[in-house]
Each structure stands twice: as C-alpha cells, then as structure tokens.
C-alpha cells in the first residue's frame, strides 16, 4: 500500500511538472492534476492539502537535482572563468528540461514562505560557488557581481524559452561571451 501511495504521489508530481512547464502556475490546479493522473479530485487532496504544498514538494525534490547538475558542471571546470562558463551553460542547457521549466515557473510565482526558503537554499549553494569564482578573479564585490551575472542568465533563459529567431546555442554563446567579457573587465578594472 505504501508503495502504491509513493507511485501515486510521483505521478501527481510528474503531472504538476507538466502543467507548470506548459502553462505556468495558473495551470496547476487540483482538477487538472486529477484529470492528468486519472485520480478523483478528492484523492488529490489525500496527497496534498493545497497547491502550495504541491509547489513546496516540487521545490524539495527538483531544485536540489537541478542545482546539483550545475554544481557538477562547475566542479569539473579548472579555472574561475571555466567555472563561470559552466555555471552559465549548464543552466541554459537545462532550459528544455521539464523539471527546469517547472522550476522557472515556480520561481516566477507568488510562493509561500516554505517554498521560497527551499528555493533560496538550493540557489544559495550555486550562488556561493559563483561568488567564490568571482572572488578568485579579483572582484571586490563578488556577491553583487554574482547577482548581476544570474540576472543575465535569467534573461538568456527567457530568450531561449520564447523560441524567437535565434537558436539556443547562439543565445548561450552570446550570453557566455558577454558575461565572461564583463567579469574579466570588471575584475581587471578594480586593480
């Protein structure tokens, strides 16, 4: 019985990921979850008491997986510049992934404190790694630089998601070139 409940919970989370990646947080409703999983709406309430509870569970499950992907790419890099490039490229590589799209949709929405805290914790580890790389490059304000760098990554993510004129690899190459040029210039100019 416990195994069956675990499978049902997994199916509900997977349906939630699909709904979020297709239509953002507005699409994540209990009727939609019930329809996607073939469960009665009342059954959905047995697993999750609210939409916020679904979001919080996804944050608990998916954010660490996503963060670990980026962290692994950074750990394989040798120099601070390579770490920064890995940080940018791995995030952009994950844009097409349903888990990542769900994570982005969640990040953009109004969240309760529990979900926000889980996101902050997962992001915090990544930001700490990029702050360290920026510090190694000689930045006097590595935390500020990290926040601005992430803003550029977020803009590139949005551009890729729009599926506009440019191919994702062109967007990634342009973002990497701009960010690396910017971090080198800023670090060099502070000597």
């Amino acid at each position: 019985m416990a195994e069956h409940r675990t499978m049902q919970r997994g199916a509900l989370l997977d349906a939630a990921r699909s709904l979020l990646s297709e239509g953002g947080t507005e699409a994540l409703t209990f009727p939609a979850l019930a329809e996607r999983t073939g469960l009665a709406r009342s059954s959905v309430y047995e697993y999750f008491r609210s939409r916020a509870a679904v979001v919080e569970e996804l944050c608990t499950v998916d954010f660490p997986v996503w963060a670990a992907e980026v962290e692994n790419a950074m750990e394989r890099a040798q120099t601070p510049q390579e770490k920064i490039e890995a940080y940018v490229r791995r995030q952009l590589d994950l844009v097409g992934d349903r888990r990542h799209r769900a994570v982005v949709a969640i990040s953009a929405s109004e969240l309760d404190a529990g979900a926000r805290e889980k996101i902050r914790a997962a992001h915090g580890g990544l930001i700490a790694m990029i702050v360290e790389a920026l510090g190694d490059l000689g930045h006097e304000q590595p935390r500020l630089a990290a926040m601005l760098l992430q803003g550029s990554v977020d803009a590139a993510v949005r551009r890729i998601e729009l599926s506009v004129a440019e191919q994702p690899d062109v967007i990634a190459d342009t973002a990497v070139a701009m960010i690396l040029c910017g971090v080198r210039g800023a670090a060099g100019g502070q000597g």
Side-chain angles (χ1 to χ4, degrees), residues 37-64:
T37 55
L39 292 170
R41 200 183 314 180
S42 58
S43 297
V44 177
Y45 282 99
E46 289 176 30
Y47 292 91
F48 298 105
R49 68 190 180 285
S50 65
R51 271 175 21 135
V54 178
V55 166
E56 191 166 337
E57 179 99 2
L58 279 175
C59 291
T60 303
V61 173
D62 289 357
F63 262 87

Side-chain angles (χ1 to χ4, degrees), residues 20 24-26 51 55 103-112 116:
L20 283 163
T25 47
E26 303 78 46
R51 271 175 21 135
V55 166
V103 157
V104 169
I106 290 167
S107 298
S109 68
E110 289 297 310
L111 298 172
D112 69 354
R116 263 200 314 276

